Amino acid sequence: MADVHEVTRIRPLAFHAAGGTEDWRVLGEGACAFFRTGSFGAGARLVGALGEALDGVGEADVDLRPEGVTVRLVEVGEEYYGLTGRHVELARLVSATARGLGAVADPEGLQTVQVTVDALDVPAVVAFWRALLGYRDRSGSPEDLIDPARRGAPFYFQQMDAPRPQRNRVHVDVWVPHDLAEARITAAIAAGGRLVTDEHAPNHWVLADPEGNEACVGAAGAAG
């Protein structure tokens, strides 16, 4: 087996071209595979087996659901976010472990979502969403924000050429613990946002970034 600690950067095409990666698909957040297990218990056993197989050789993001297990491989560093040579061997190891337990790879079970925001002043808008979401900059890409816990959808900020005066028809709902909502709102406003309405507080508030893109901050459990 090749050195699983190899950190040479590779492109998605090279990952897919490598033998033994047929179960995997490179999506926006790394190389992903979904293994159908048939039950929550079988999925839990696969997660345990993956923990043993990867211990000391590599790491993965693992999501257990009743219908199966999703595994994601991505390098998250200060200077690089993406695929490396070691992920090829880790993918093969994960697939072999899953096959050993009878779990079947199903690429149709894979999907990631990215939210794209058009902006005139990208740095100002990014600052608002960074504070509101509790996200951080994606390595090497100041127009991208990612969830440090790698659970929430990434946000991408796209330069636009002219303002659009109409009210936007899509907004983002951000759910946070009820006892942290006001601190998150304060941070977002300090980062250049504004309060649109607190009519429904403490259940939810509506904020807007410096260019009017709206977000609702939900705090389930704060009242009612």
Side-chain angles (χ1 to χ4, degrees):
M1 178 181 291
D3 182 4
V4 294
H5 296 287
E6 170 63 47
V7 293
T8 302
R9 301 178 185 184
I10 63 171
R11 303 291 298 171
L13 183 61
F15 179 90
H16 282 304
T21 60
E22 295 80 8
D23 294 342
W24 299 76
R25 301 294 184 274
V26 178
L27 304 179
E29 302 170 74
C32 303
F34 175 71
F35 299 97
R36 292 202 179 275
T37 56
S39 71
F40 188 81
R45 288 190 288 275
L46 174 56
V47 172
L50 290 175
E52 294 183 5
L54 296 175
D55 188 28
V57 298
E59 298 178 347
D61 293 339
V62 180
D63 180 9
L64 169 63
R65 299 300 168 104
E67 61 273 15
V69 174
T70 301
V71 184
R72 182 177 61 181
L73 303 171
V74 63
E75 181 80 12
V76 182
E78 294 296 325
E79 299 181 355
Y80 180 63
Y81 182 100
L83 294 171
T84 69
R86 73 188 182 106
H87 291 133
V88 172
E89 289 298 334
L90 291 177
R92 293 168 179 161
L93 179 57
V94 169
S95 290
T97 303
R99 283 194 300 272
L101 291 178
V104 178
D106 180 4
E108 292 189 2
L110 293 172
Q111 174 177 289
T112 65
V113 175
Q114 173 178 283
V115 177
T116 298
V117 178
D118 291 338
L120 289 170
D121 186 347
V122 171
V125 174
V126 167
F128 168 87
W129 289 100
R130 184 190 297 115
L132 176 65
L133 297 169
Y135 277 20
R136 66 175 180 81
D137 295 340
R138 178 173 173 171
S139 305
S141 183
E143 68 275 6
D144 282 288
L145 294 176
I146 59 172
D147 179 0
R150 300 189 293 284
R151 288 192 297 265
F155 272 57
Y156 172 70
F157 298 85
Q158 181 171 270
Q159 186 68 52
M160 61 187 296
D161 299 325
R164 299 187 188 125
Q166 73 273 20
R167 185 176 186 267
N168 61 307
R169 299 181 64 185
V170 176
H171 71 269
V172 177
D173 289 326
V174 183
W175 291 95
V176 298
H178 67 85
D179 52 346
L180 301 179
E182 291 190 14
R184 186 69 67 87
I185 291 166
T186 298
I189 292 174
R194 63 182 175 86
L195 178 67
V196 175
T197 179
D198 59 0
E199 176 184 358
H200 303 289
N203 285 322
H204 77 269
W205 296 254
V206 181
L207 305 182
D209 71 15
E211 295 183 2
N213 300 299
E214 294 182 4
C216 289
V217 179

